[in-house]
Amino acid sequence: LIQYLGCYSMSLWWQWSGKVYFVVMRNFLPVRQWLTFDLKGATANRRALDPRVLHHIHAGEDLRSRTAWGTLRDWEWMDIAMVCDVSPEDKAKLVEMILADAALLASEGLMDYSL
C-alpha cells in the first residue's frame, strides 16, 4: 500500500539535536482527502491544534486551505470522534499482516513503533 519516495537524513542545528532520519511516502488513496492524520496510537505530544481551533474546520472548506492546519494527530482524531469501518474479513487480514510484520522484525532483532 505504501510507495516509498526516499529515505533521507539531515543535520539539525538545534541544541541537543543531531542527524535526523526520515522517510517520504506517497499517499496510496486515489482520492483527495480534506483531513490528514498521522496516527501513532499514543497521546503523549500527539496534538497538532488547539482543540478550539479544530472545531472551526468544516468539511466543505476549500481543500487548498488545508495547509492552515496541516497534518492532524491522535488527539484530533479522538476529539472529532473519527472511526474506521473495517469489515471482519479485512480486520482479520490486517491482523494477520501485522503479526507477520512483527514476526519478521523480531526475527531480525528490529523494532518498528508504527506497528
Side-chain angles (χ1 to χ4, degrees):
L1 294 177
I2 298 172
Q3 179 183 13
Y4 291 99
L5 300 177
C7 181
Y8 303 93
S9 68
M10 64 185 288
S11 296
L12 299 178
W13 298 104
W14 305 327
Q15 188 175 9
W16 301 298
S17 67
K19 189 175 273 194
V20 174
Y21 297 89
F22 59 96
V23 175
V24 177
M25 298 176 287
R26 181 178 163 267
N27 183 6
F28 71 93
L29 298 173
V31 296
R32 204 167 161 189
Q33 67 277 6
W34 64 276
L35 288 177
T36 302
F37 291 90
D38 175 21
L39 301 175
K40 302 289 186 204
T43 54
N45 298 317
R46 300 297 301 159
R47 184 177 290 286
L49 297 176
D50 182 306
R52 294 169 293 182
V53 173
L54 181 66
H55 297 290
H56 293 288
I57 297 172
H58 187 270
E61 279 191 55
D62 184 355
L63 291 173
R64 292 170 294 200
S65 70
R66 182 169 50 118
T67 57
W69 59 83
T71 302
L72 304 175
R73 298 185 187 143
D74 298 73
W75 271 114
E76 287 83 21
W77 177 275
M78 293 184 294
D79 286 343
I80 58 177
M82 295 291 289
V83 297
C84 286
D85 292 324
V86 180
S87 71
E89 297 81 17
D90 288 340
K91 181 179 178 181
K93 289 178 188 176
L94 187 57
V95 168
E96 185 180 325
M97 285 189 286
I98 291 172
L99 289 173
D101 289 350
L104 172 67
L105 292 170
S107 72
E108 298 296 324
L110 301 171
M111 181 182 295
D112 181 355
Y113 290 103
S114 65
L115 291 177

